[in-house]
Amino acid sequence: MKLNAKLSIATATLLLSGVVQAEHKTFVNCVSRSPSGFSPALVMEGISYNASSQQVYNRLVEFKRGSTEIEPALAESWTVSEDGLTYTFKLRKGVKFHSNKYFKPSREFNADDVIFSFLRQLDKNHPYHNVSKATYPYFNVMKFPQLLKSVEKVNDHTVKITLNKQDATFIASLGMDFISIYSAEYADKLLKAGTPEILDTTPIGTGPFVFSGYQLDQRIRFLAHKDYWNGKADIDRLIFDIVPDATTRYAKLRAGTCDMIDFPNPADLEKMKTDPKINLLSQEGLNIAYIAFNTEKAPFDNIKVRQALNYAVDKNTIIDAVYRGAGVVAKNPLPPTIWGYNNSITGYEYNPEKAKALLKEAGFENGFETNIWVQPVVRASNPNPRRMAELIQGDWEKVGVKTKLVTYEWGDYIKRTKAGELTAGTYGWSGDNGDPDNFLSPLFGSANIGNSNYARFNNPEFDALLEKAVGLSDKAERTKIYEQAQVILNEQAPWINVAHSINFAPTSKRVRDFKQSPFGYSYFYGTKIID
C-alpha cells in the first residue's frame, strides 16, 4: 500500500533536519519501521495498529488501558439473548468524527457507521468490499464471515448482531483492532468523488487523536481530537518518528528528542535500567516466537522429523543470546500468562542424541538439507530473528541437518508463507483479545491454512476441540478443552515453540501514566507529559 499524504509547510519547518523539539504537550514516539497501512480492517500487525486503530479509531467495546478486561466504548451497553445468538448494542450519543481536507462531518456517529464497518468486510457485494484490494485478513482469521448471520440497524442508536452459533469469544473479539468503526458518511463522499481508496490512506475516526499527515518512512503526525467523547487527551501533538536503528532510537531518547521508543536492543537493557534519563517499563507479553514447519512439505510432513528438530534446539542458549534473559523458554504456543495454559506438558528438552535417533527412525540417519526462513523485521516476540535462526542453524547441523538461511521483504515473506512456499521459518504472534482461542484457532485451525496457519497444520481432532470450546460459556470447561488441544500440538509438533518475550517500553522521565498493553500495542490516550 502506498501512502502519499504530504506534510504541510508549517510542519515541515517544525520537523527541520528530522529533529522534533520536545515541546510541552508534544509526545514523540520513535518507532522501528513504517506501518504497512492506516486502515485497521486491511492489516494484521501491531505497527500498523499503533499508527491507526490505537489512536484514530474506536470500537464498540475496548480493552481497559493496560488490561485484557473489556469496557464499553462506542457501545455504552449491550444485551444478549437467552440462546446466546443475538447481541443488541445501545450506541453512545454525542460522538463526533474527525475532519480533514476531504471531509467535514455533517452528523455525529450513529448505527450507519457500525453497519458500514461490518458489512464492508462481510458482504462481498458491498461497494467498498474490494476497494484497496482488501482481503480483510483478521476478519477472516477470526471466522467472522461464518460467525455473523446478520448486522442490522434497529434505529440510529441501536444495532443488532445475530450469530450463526454461540461464540464465547465474541465480545472480546469486538474489542480487536480489525473491527474498528469507520465513518459511513466519509466513505459515501469519497465513493461519489471516485476516490474511495482515500478512506484507507487518510483515516477518519472518532478516536482520541486525529491523523494529520504522513511523510513516507520518516514520520506520522496526529493532533488531539478536541471533541473526543471521553475528554480531550492531555497530549496536544503526537508524532511517530520512524527510526529503524535501535541504537539511534536509544540515543534520541537520551537526547530528549524521543519520549518513547519501541523494540530496544536487548544488549542495551541493563544500561537502560540504571540510566538516569530513562524509565524502563516492562511487562510479560502475550506472545510466542516460534519456528513453523510446513507440515505439507517433505521432510516436515514426517512427525518424527518435526519432533527430532524440536529436541535439537537449545532454547536456553537462545534466551541468553537473543533475549539477553528478557524472555522465557516456551513449551506451548500459549504463553503462561494466559488462562488455559497447560503447565503439565513437559515439552521438548535439548537432547541431540534423541534427535539423531528420531531422524534415523524417520529414514534420515545422514540428515538432509533444507532452508530456514528468517523474518526480516523485529517484532515484540523476537528481538533478533536472524540471530535466533543462526543459533538454530548451528543446533540442527549438530544432528546432521544442514540449512541455508533465506529471507524476503516483509510483505513478500508473508505472501510466500501463505502460499505454502515455506520450508521452516521464524515467526511470531501476539494475542489480541486475551482468549486462548485467539492463539489456537488462527495459528493451528485448518480453516486458516493459507492465512495465519503458517504450518498448514490440519488435524480434525484438534479442530473439533476448538469448535467445542468456543461454543461454551463455562471458563473451567473451556480450560480443560484447551489443555487437551495443547497435548495434541505437543505430540504433533507443527512448530518449535521457542520463547515468550518480555515487552519493554523505555520512556523519557517527563512521561507519566503510560500503561503498557498486554497485547504489545502503544495506546497514548491517558498518557501525560510534564516539563
Side-chain angles (χ1 to χ4, degrees), residues 61-64 67-72 78 171-175:
V61 300
E62 294 180 356
F63 297 99
K64 289 184 179 180
S67 168
T68 60
E69 184 181 348
I70 283 288
E71 64 181 357
W78 57 91
I171 288 294
S173 296
L174 293 185

Side-chain angles (χ1 to χ4, degrees), residues 27 36 59 89 139 161 188 190 204 213 365 371 437 462:
F27 190 106
S36 59
R59 289 145 292 286
F89 295 89
F139 190 83
I161 300 177
D188 288 344
L190 293 173
I204 287 285
E365 183 176 4
N371 293 331
D437 183 77
F462 179 85

Side-chain angles (χ1 to χ4, degrees), residues 96-246:
K96 298 182 184 298
F97 276 101
H98 309 158
S99 62
N100 62 23
K101 65 181 181 180
Y102 301 105
F103 174 68
K104 299 292 186 291
S106 67
R107 62 165 177 80
E108 295 177 343
F109 158 76
N110 67 28
D112 292 335
D113 305 304
V114 179
I115 300 300
F116 170 84
S117 302
F118 277 78
L119 293 190
R120 178 193 181 181
Q121 301 186 68
L122 180 64
D123 181 4
K124 293 181 180 180
N125 296 315
H126 191 279
Y128 262 86
H129 186 75
N130 295 315
V131 168
S132 304
K133 298 181 180 179
T135 59
Y136 311 111
Y138 224 148
F139 190 83
N140 290 311
V141 161
M142 296 302 291
K143 304 178 192 174
F144 267 39
Q146 296 78 35
L147 179 62
L148 299 178
K149 182 177 182 180
S150 63
V151 183
E152 303 170 272
K153 175 181 177 179
V154 177
N155 56 48
D156 278 352
H157 292 95
T158 310
V159 169
K160 183 172 69 174
I161 300 177
T162 303
L163 309 184
N164 285 310
K165 59 183 179 180
Q166 290 188 22
D167 190 321
T169 71
F170 182 59
I171 288 294
S173 296
L174 293 185
M176 294 168 63
D177 297 66
F178 75 91
I179 204 66
S180 295
I181 305 302
Y182 294 67
S183 166
E185 186 184 16
Y186 182 40
D188 288 344
K189 182 174 181 180
L190 293 173
L191 190 64
K192 290 176 183 175
T195 56
E197 67 283 349
I198 289 175
L199 182 79
D200 297 316
T201 60
T202 310
I204 287 285
T206 58
F209 294 98
V210 179
F211 176 81
S212 180
Y214 174 52
Q215 188 175 21
L216 183 64
D217 294 334
Q218 294 189 47
R219 57 193 56 83
I220 312 162
R221 298 176 291 115
F222 306 88
L223 299 173
H225 182 22
K226 295 179 181 179
D227 296 317
Y228 185 50
W229 58 268
N230 205 22
K232 178 184 171 297
D234 184 75
I235 297 167
D236 294 315
R237 304 174 188 86
L238 175 62
I239 297 170
F240 283 27
D241 195 9
I242 299 163
V243 184
D245 180 68

Side-chain angles (χ1 to χ4, degrees), residues 346-419:
T346 302
Y348 291 84
E349 78 275 10
Y350 178 49
N351 192 331
E353 293 307 312
K354 196 165 187 176
K356 291 177 183 177
L358 281 167
L359 286 173
K360 183 177 180 180
E361 289 178 29
F364 294 98
E365 183 176 4
N366 298 317
F368 57 87
E369 294 184 4
T370 189
N371 293 331
I372 297 178
W373 289 26
V374 184
Q375 67 185 43
V377 296
V378 171
R379 304 185 76 188
S381 57
N382 190 340
N384 193 335
R386 177 157 289 274
R387 182 62 180 142
M388 180 184 288
E390 288 170 348
L391 290 169
I392 291 171
Q393 180 184 42
D395 287 341
W396 285 4
E397 187 165 357
K398 292 174 185 175
V399 298
V401 176
K402 296 182 178 180
T403 62
K404 177 183 177 183
L405 303 185
V406 298
T407 194
Y408 304 94
E409 180 273 329
W410 180 230
D412 195 32
Y413 188 88
I414 296 301
K415 183 179 179 180
R416 287 172 179 265
T417 299
K418 290 179 178 180

Side-chain angles (χ1 to χ4, degrees), residues 281-320:
L281 307 178
S282 64
Q283 183 181 73
E284 289 186 71
L286 286 173
N287 60 49
I288 175 72
Y290 63 94
I291 301 295
F293 298 118
N294 187 337
T295 59
E296 293 180 346
K297 184 178 291 187
F300 303 117
D301 58 347
N302 187 318
I303 186 173
K304 290 185 178 180
V305 169
R306 302 195 300 267
Q307 291 173 340
L309 294 181
N310 265 273
Y311 282 117
V313 173
D314 183 354
K315 297 179 187 178
N316 287 315
T317 294
I318 291 174
I319 295 296
D320 291 339

Side-chain angles (χ1 to χ4, degrees), residues 266-287:
D268 292 331
L269 291 174
E270 285 303 313
K271 187 188 304 182
M272 287 182 177
K273 290 176 183 177
T274 57
D275 193 322
K277 296 184 177 181
I278 290 170
N279 286 326
L280 182 63
L281 307 178
S282 64
Q283 183 181 73
E284 289 186 71
L286 286 173
N287 60 49

